[in-house]
Amino acid sequence: MAKRLSTNVQDYLKRIYELTLTEEKATTTQLAEALEISAASVTNMLQKLSKTDPPYLTYTKHHGVALTATGKQAALKIIRRHRLIEHYLVKALGYTWDEVHEEAEILEHAMSPLLEKRIDAALGYPKFDPHGDPIPDAQLQMPKIIEIPLTQLEVGHSARILRVPNENPQVLRDIAKWGLRPGAHFKLISRTPYDQTMRINVDDIDEDVIVGAALGCQIFVSLET
Amino acid sequence: MAKRLSTNVQDYLKRIYELTLTEEKATTTQLAEALEISAASVTNMLQKLSKTDPPYLTYTKHHGVALTATGKQAALKIIRRHRLIEHYLVKALGYTWDEVHEEAEILEHAMSPLLEKRIDAALGYPKFDPHGDPIPDAQLQMPKIIEIPLTQLEVGHSARILRVPNENPQVLRDIAKWGLRPGAHFKLISRTPYDQTMRINVDDIDEDVIVGAALGCQIFVSLET
DNA sequence: AAACTGATTTAGGTTAGACTAAATATTACT
DNA sequence: AGTAATATTTAGTCTAACCTAAATCAGTTT
């Protein structure tokens, strides 16, 4: 039953999980882009993974794909490892948050259950990774977070940055430079009506930061305070 | 020139390196056993790796295989990673020396140059792994060691254990229980003429340890004192 | 409703690395 | 030197993933 999944299959499942967080189903093309392979290859794999026993996903020709419970468990296991690794690299080996994603992308597939346990323990069973993304616990339960994108925070209100789920190292370096790390407390000063550009003031930092809508919807903040 | 080597190829090169430490050349069958695959598969791969430009190994039908300088460099790079990982797991994550080999066998292929550097630095640029095996430095130079197998130590002499290059977890647990870890100082009390069984007394341990020849030739000790 | 466009699938091919069975080479023994 | 035993290689398959090109489907526009 619990087959050993190949690295490739794990990557498919992880991507599908991520894509179906916002949409009901993921499309072949989305997956092909995320995995950087051809759409034809994706179709092949989806057909295979939907015909295993038990199937990892539900797939109907031309109508997208979603994970089954089995597939979701497998995806969560990999995501847990990915995020634990990111956290560990920052905490124990002096990595910065822009360096860890690529590294974790490879290490996640080489992590034994024992190593997962030891790292989890060494970190004190953390609930969030360096980007503020939630880490599923050993039973694969995701911590609940109540959050809104920065783009939806009301002008004049204060909040705390919870999550910056971005993978681009350059973007992350900039964000860090401005003080917009998870945990930072700030006040939303203004938002222009036309293009939604925001001016925000981070506590203990003099100069205000200007954030466009494209970046703003990738920064999640606490709902109150 | 510097092609990206697959995990499989890396494993071939590593095994050939290990086998040619004691013999001039490695045979197809030795490799097949070490890698746990068929001899026919090994032949195929050897032919391929001897025809690359530059070749990783010199191979003559029916007469064994040896690494070229290129192949040796590649092998040393993997061995360096393997041993750094073993050391790190013990030092930083509470692993025991019998748990690390299997883990490192997988992680060594997932280690980036950056991670290698960070771990090396975190450990203080160590020269030996938990089994006492030498770790090649960043330039892939092996530390020199002067050692002899326990089976060649003269009776009545004292020495220090330098290296126990064994991978069997059960064996390693026993050895550790008897106090025979790298660094331990001991005196060789006696060796029976017929089967070479040795009695040795480890400093600060009351009860003598009995070591047979099979194990004895896998324990390397300092030449003097 | 026909036609166009973009998304998706099918068909057929490639590569890496493994396998088994059969053939051949080497080595060891008489 | 001849033969048996062992080691090695050759030949032909297999599987997992990938690819490109061609065909088909779905959704929008005329």
Side-chain angles (χ1 to χ4, degrees):
Chain A
M1 175 195 156
K3 282 238 188 65
R4 169 95 189 105
L5 297 178
S6 75
T7 296
N8 286 323
V9 169
Q10 291 182 357
D11 280 338
Y12 274 94
L13 297 178
K14 186 177 57 170
R15 295 302 180 190
I16 297 168
Y17 179 89
E18 288 164 359
L19 289 169
T20 51
L21 280 178
T22 47
E23 310 283 328
E24 185 63 22
K25 308 204 145 201
T27 69
T28 303
T29 312
Q30 284 175 326
L31 267 170
E33 273 166 18
L35 295 166
E36 300 185 280
I37 60 179
S38 74
S41 304
V42 173
T43 299
N44 267 340
M45 184 62 98
L46 296 184
Q47 288 172 344
K48 207 164 65 177
L49 293 179
S50 65
K51 282 174 198 151
T52 55
D53 176 33
Y56 291 100
L57 38 86
T58 59
Y59 165 68
T60 38
K61 268 190 190 179
H62 298 284
H63 289 90
V65 65
L67 295 176
T68 60
T70 308
K72 193 171 171 184
Q73 289 297 99
L76 283 171
K77 192 181 273 187
I78 304 152
I79 288 168
R80 168 169 163 78
R81 290 179 182 181
H82 182 102
R83 294 181 180 169
L84 279 175
I85 290 165
E86 290 195 342
H87 199 293
Y88 188 81
L89 292 177
V90 168
K91 270 284 170 59
L93 286 165
Y95 277 69
T96 51
W97 76 337
D98 56 289
E99 296 173 321
V100 294
H101 177 75
E102 223 188 339
E103 200 82 81
E105 203 70 10
I106 293 166
L107 286 168
E108 63 189 9
H109 302 298
M111 194 182 208
S112 72
L114 178 60
L115 182 58
E116 179 189 317
K117 278 199 201 87
R118 299 270 160 105
I119 283 185
D120 194 24
L123 293 170
Y125 310 98
K127 289 199 157 30
F128 301 96
D129 77 7
H131 307 100
D133 286 315
I135 303 175
D137 68 19
Q139 283 69 49
L140 304 182
Q141 295 300 311
M142 274 287 193
K144 282 279 171 294
I145 349 172
I146 298 166
E147 61 175 21
I148 55 173
L150 176 56
T151 45
Q152 282 173 28
L153 185 67
E154 280 184 56
V155 172
H157 283 213
S158 287
R160 195 174 293 282
I161 294 181
L162 294 180
R163 198 158 73 89
V164 187
N166 193 295
E167 293 165 2
N168 184 309
Q170 186 53 56
V171 171
L172 290 174
R173 277 193 292 273
D174 287 342
I175 291 176
K177 201 170 57 196
W178 303 330
L180 298 182
R181 305 169 138 288
H185 195 264
F186 67 95
K187 183 175 181 181
L188 178 56
I189 307 293
S190 68
R191 178 185 290 120
T192 65
Y194 175 63
D195 65 1
Q196 307 291 313
T197 297
M198 293 162 281
R199 168 181 293 266
I200 76 183
N201 179 271
V202 180
D203 288 13
D204 303 324
I205 296 186
D206 285 341
E207 203 169 344
D208 289 352
V209 181
I210 306 299
V211 176
L215 182 55
C217 64
Q218 288 207 23
I219 295 177
F220 296 85
V221 306
S222 58
L223 192 48
E224 12 198 14
T225 278
Chain B
M1 177 193 155
K3 283 239 188 64
R4 169 94 188 106
L5 297 178
S6 75
T7 296
N8 286 323
V9 169
Q10 291 181 358
D11 280 338
Y12 275 95
L13 297 177
K14 187 178 57 169
R15 295 303 180 189
I16 296 169
Y17 179 90
E18 288 164 359
L19 288 169
T20 51
L21 281 178
T22 47
E23 310 282 328
E24 185 63 22
K25 308 204 145 200
T27 70
T28 304
T29 312
Q30 284 176 324
L31 267 170
E33 272 166 20
L35 295 166
E36 300 185 281
I37 60 180
S38 74
S41 304
V42 172
T43 299
N44 267 341
M45 184 61 100
L46 295 184
Q47 288 171 344
K48 208 164 62 178
L49 292 179
S50 64
K51 282 173 196 152
T52 55
D53 177 31
Y56 291 100
L57 38 87
T58 58
Y59 165 68
T60 37
K61 266 189 193 179
H62 298 283
H63 290 89
V65 65
L67 295 176
T68 60
T70 308
K72 193 171 170 183
Q73 288 299 98
L76 283 170
K77 193 182 273 184
I78 304 153
I79 288 169
R80 169 169 161 79
R81 289 180 184 180
H82 181 102
R83 294 181 180 171
L84 279 175
I85 290 165
E86 290 195 343
H87 199 294
Y88 188 81
L89 292 176
V90 168
K91 270 284 170 59
L93 285 165
Y95 276 69
T96 50
W97 76 338
D98 56 291
E99 295 173 322
V100 294
H101 177 74
E102 223 187 339
E103 200 82 81
E105 203 70 11
I106 293 166
L107 286 168
E108 63 189 8
H109 302 297
M111 194 181 209
S112 72
L114 178 59
L115 183 58
E116 178 187 317
K117 278 200 200 84
R118 298 271 159 102
I119 284 185
D120 194 23
L123 293 170
Y125 311 99
K127 288 200 158 33
F128 300 95
D129 78 6
H131 306 100
D133 286 315
I135 302 175
D137 67 20
Q139 283 70 48
L140 305 182
Q141 295 300 311
M142 275 286 192
K144 282 278 172 294
I145 350 171
I146 298 166
E147 60 175 22
I148 54 171
L150 176 55
T151 45
Q152 282 172 29
L153 185 67
E154 280 184 55
V155 172
H157 283 212
S158 287
R160 196 173 293 282
I161 293 181
L162 294 181
R163 198 158 71 88
V164 186
N166 194 297
E167 293 165 3
N168 183 308
Q170 186 53 56
V171 171
L172 290 173
R173 278 193 292 273
D174 287 342
I175 291 177
K177 204 171 55 195
W178 302 331
L180 299 182
R181 306 170 137 288
H185 194 264
F186 68 94
K187 182 174 180 181
L188 178 56
I189 307 295
S190 67
R191 180 185 289 119
T192 65
Y194 176 63
D195 63 1
Q196 307 290 313
T197 297
M198 293 164 280
R199 167 181 294 267
I200 77 183
N201 180 271
V202 181
D203 288 13
D204 303 324
I205 295 185
D206 285 340
E207 201 170 347
D208 289 351
V209 180
I210 306 299
V211 176
L215 182 55
C217 63
Q218 288 207 26
I219 296 177
F220 295 85
V221 306
S222 58
L223 193 47
E224 14 200 9
T225 278

